[in-house]
Amino acid sequence: MQVDELAECGALHYWLGALGEHLDDYLRFDRPDPQQTKHKWKEPLNQSLPIVGVGMEQLVAEMGQIVIPNGAQIPHPGFSSYITTGPTTSATLAMVAGAIAAPQRIGLHAFNYLEELSLRWLLELFELTPSMQGLYTSGGSVANLIALGAARQRAYEKRGLDAAREGISIGGKVFASAESHHSVLRACAVLGLGRNALVKIECDDEGRICPDNLEARIKESSEPVIAIVGNLGSTNAGAIDPVQDLVAIAQAHDTWLHLDGAYGLPGILDPHVKRFYQGIEQANSVSVDPHKWLGAPVGVGVVFVKDKELLQRAFTQEPAAYLEGSECSQGAQHSLDQLGTPYSEFGVELSAPCRGAIVWALLREIGVNGMQARIVRHNEMARKLAQRVLNIPELELLREPMLSICCFRYRSKHISNLDKFNSELHRRLIHNSQHMPSTTIINGCVAIRPCFIGARTPDSEVDGLIEEVLQVGSELLNDATWLSASQKTL
Ligand SMILES: *Cc1c(COP(=O)(O)O)cnc(C)c1O
């Protein structure tokens, strides 16, 4: 039997063009939700392990006809759930270009140069200290892990211990707001501190950490203080912790301050809220997710750390014969003579894509002005939504927005269980697939929670969402089926 081993390794012009047509079709979102049609695509996809390949023609046809049309709702203009969105075209192109022309961030080539350049651009864009060491990560969770790994290294070095080399023999505590992202909790587990090392500090009515509480809890801690983690836009409702208070407390206790800006750091570009960011340049580390508000494909996070040497002591993979031997110490004459900035020494990945080219493309395409216009527009959408909610008797604002998240709910004196009612209302919004926010709990109440970060999300989303909430709410009030299904708790 003759076996055709050769995979297609070129003809990108042709195949990317074919794929592009299918992707443009998908972006029209004129198909039913994949859950409703799953019998139509699961069956043809559910093939046994192919012993003989089908070839490119058939493969791309299957992608175009079965896979892509049944993709996710996330890039939909009306999708405002969680904090996630689809990438823009420039970022997608840069990702594909890197996969082909620079599969790794090593060597002295243009893509690797963009890694450095884009990190510098981000420092400037967000008004951070230019000398901070930046590192691309797979996302905000790993960015938090790296920042806390560096914080751990510093806290134990102060006691004469090298945590990365020796492990930790005494415990330590991390202080963060009760609204902090759960990746902080997981980082504590991974770093050997244990999940119990996280001390959750109460928040005020705006969802911001209470500095007095924080100070008191730090003072009563008998264990080393590893770090304070502040939110630059909490995941729940976009709350920005009082940065200057956190800076003062961190300095008073000579402890690490990490600011989690995975979602909200770009908010600094909005003049309406810029004052909340005052002092961020004092933090030891700051993170941001270009794959959220900036529109990169998922897999692009960043962490900035002030002390580069410390970061390296925390994360070095130690000299390896297969890497060190491949550099030449004399003047480099070839792209393979030197490996470039040793990013693998600063984090947990060795092989990694060139994510910097993606961020470079995003900024190069629309500039700071374009990015700022998007951030301001989305924040204004949340503010406008809040304003409209305040003027509609059937709606109740549950949290004044700081950034682009607005939490509100439907209400009526005829409803006895508002949580159940709003959860059901939300399910119906999702099933209609026009406006797709998520929910959260604000001061004990179920809230409808749109988060506007999508570049495709138009201003009209605000009025559209309100209209649909009002319509579905009044339908639900008159809907006898739902009433009986919910044991008449209305
Ligand atoms: C989204 C988010 C994270 C986690 O980021 P991933 O990229 O999903 O790993 C961490 N912190 C905050 C505040 C976030 O909003």
Side-chain angles (χ1 to χ4, degrees):
M1 190 172 85
Q2 192 180 339
V3 176
D4 194 1
E5 184 263 344
L6 284 182
E8 171 67 75
C9 293
L12 288 155
H13 176 77
Y14 177 77
W15 293 116
L16 287 178
L19 201 67
E21 272 183 46
H22 296 303
L23 291 169
D24 282 338
D25 278 349
Y26 155 79
L27 285 175
R28 282 195 275 279
F29 295 102
D30 53 6
R31 289 166 178 274
D33 181 78
Q35 173 70 21
Q36 287 154 24
T37 57
K38 61 178 187 292
H39 57 282
K40 285 198 191 150
W41 52 266
K42 263 193 164 173
E43 255 171 58
L45 287 180
N46 186 18
Q47 306 273 335
S48 53
L49 173 70
I51 304 300
V52 179
V54 296
M56 282 297 290
E57 199 74 52
Q58 168 76 15
L59 171 71
V60 174
E62 286 176 11
M63 285 173 85
Q65 286 155 25
I66 314 173
V67 181
I68 293 171
N70 296 298
Q73 295 278 10
I74 291 170
H76 189 291
F79 180 94
S80 58
S81 281
Y82 321 117
I83 308 181
T84 189
T85 184
T88 59
T89 300
S90 68
T92 309
L93 295 181
M95 184 181 71
V96 173
I100 295 292
Q104 292 272 7
R105 54 178 174 178
I106 51 170
L108 298 173
H109 49 76
F111 284 83
N112 216 6
Y113 179 67
L114 294 182
E115 197 93 348
E116 267 177 63
L117 181 71
S118 62
L119 287 169
R120 282 211 302 275
W121 281 5
L122 289 178
L123 285 169
E124 191 181 335
L125 182 67
F126 299 134
E127 301 180 33
L128 294 166
T129 312
S131 59
M132 282 181 119
Q133 176 63 51
L135 174 76
Y136 281 106
T137 66
S138 61
S141 302
V142 174
N144 283 342
L145 174 69
I146 304 294
L148 289 175
R152 185 188 72 162
Q153 189 67 16
R154 177 174 181 274
Y156 289 100
E157 281 185 3
K158 278 198 324 195
R159 286 162 183 76
L161 300 167
D162 181 345
R165 187 167 300 280
E166 299 153 14
I168 51 173
S169 45
I170 47 169
K173 295 284 187 210
V174 172
F175 295 79
S177 102
E179 299 263 305
S180 65
H181 193 267
H182 285 194
S183 57
V184 175
L185 192 64
R186 181 166 49 195
C188 290
V190 173
L191 291 167
L193 300 163
R195 288 168 197 266
N196 289 342
L198 184 66
V199 182
K200 289 191 179 177
I201 309 297
E202 238 175 84
C203 293
D204 63 16
D205 290 344
E206 310 295 305
R208 313 168 75 195
I209 197 169
C210 299
D212 293 346
N213 257 312
L214 172 66
E215 178 101 62
R217 297 297 297 276
I218 289 180
K219 278 189 179 146
E220 73 191 32
S221 172
S222 55
E223 286 177 286
V225 179
I226 307 288
I228 297 168
V229 180
N231 278 317
L232 297 177
S234 64
T235 316
N236 214 18
I240 301 170
D241 285 335
V243 172
Q244 282 171 319
D245 291 336
L246 296 188
V247 167
I249 295 170
Q251 284 175 353
H253 295 271
D254 187 26
T255 193
W256 190 280
L257 175 61
H258 172 61
L259 295 176
D260 183 350
Y263 155 51
L265 182 58
I268 194 174
L269 298 176
D270 180 356
H272 282 88
V273 293
K274 186 168 178 186
R275 64 184 186 281
F276 296 124
Y277 294 81
Q278 235 169 52
I280 61 168
E281 72 288 345
Q282 309 266 9
N284 299 80
S285 56
V286 181
S287 56
V288 62
D289 260 347
H291 71 207
K292 287 179 172 164
W293 226 338
L294 302 190
V298 166
V300 187
V302 180
V303 61
F304 292 107
V305 178
K306 270 202 179 135
D307 189 338
K308 173 178 170 177
E309 277 73 38
L310 178 82
L311 185 61
Q312 180 155 5
R313 288 198 296 282
F315 287 100
T316 180
Q317 56 168 10
E318 305 294 339
Y322 51 85
L323 286 182
E324 311 307 315
S326 68
E327 285 201 273
C328 89
S329 44
Q330 306 298 321
Q333 294 173 23
H334 188 278
S335 67
L336 288 172
D337 279 348
Q338 285 182 351
L339 297 176
T341 306
Y343 292 108
S344 60
E345 289 285 288
F346 302 135
V348 291
E349 294 169 289
L350 176 55
S351 287
C354 289
R355 301 170 176 117
I358 296 171
V359 170
W360 167 81
L362 287 168
L363 290 168
R364 190 84 182 126
E365 185 203 1
I366 61 170
V368 174
N369 289 346
M371 207 53 87
Q372 180 173 35
R374 179 191 303 160
I375 306 299
V376 170
R377 183 171 74 83
H378 286 145
N379 284 348
E380 275 173 358
M381 285 171 69
R383 292 191 282 264
K384 183 181 163 204
L385 178 57
Q387 208 48 50
R388 284 213 55 198
V389 163
L390 287 171
N391 290 319
I392 299 173
E394 291 90 346
L395 302 179
E396 180 184 359
L397 187 64
L398 292 175
R399 176 75 59 79
E400 195 75 48
M402 278 185 104
L403 294 171
S404 67
I405 297 174
C406 180
C407 297
F408 68 103
R409 66 175 174 177
Y410 192 92
R411 68 174 171 195
S412 154
K413 60 180 189 308
H414 304 296
I415 307 170
S416 66
N417 190 336
L418 280 169
D419 286 353
K420 210 165 188 177
F421 187 92
N422 278 281
S423 295
E424 175 65 19
L425 192 158
H426 171 254
R427 252 15 281 167
R428 295 197 180 193
L429 293 180
I430 295 295
H431 294 170
N432 291 344
S433 304
Q434 292 305 304
H435 308 286
M436 294 171 272
S438 50
T439 59
T440 188
I441 309 285
I442 298 290
N443 301 328
C445 304
V446 170
I448 297 170
R449 173 199 169 280
C451 170
F452 304 115
I453 58 162
R456 294 183 180 85
T457 299
D459 291 355
S460 58
E461 185 55 25
V462 172
D463 291 342
L465 174 63
I466 286 186
E467 248 166 66
E468 200 188 1
V469 166
L470 289 174
Q471 191 196 326
V472 172
S474 78
E475 277 167 24
L476 211 48
L477 273 175
N478 297 320
D479 188 341
T481 4
W482 186 74
L483 261 174
S484 52
S486 64
Q487 287 103 30
K488 301 205 178 353
T489 48
L490 285 191

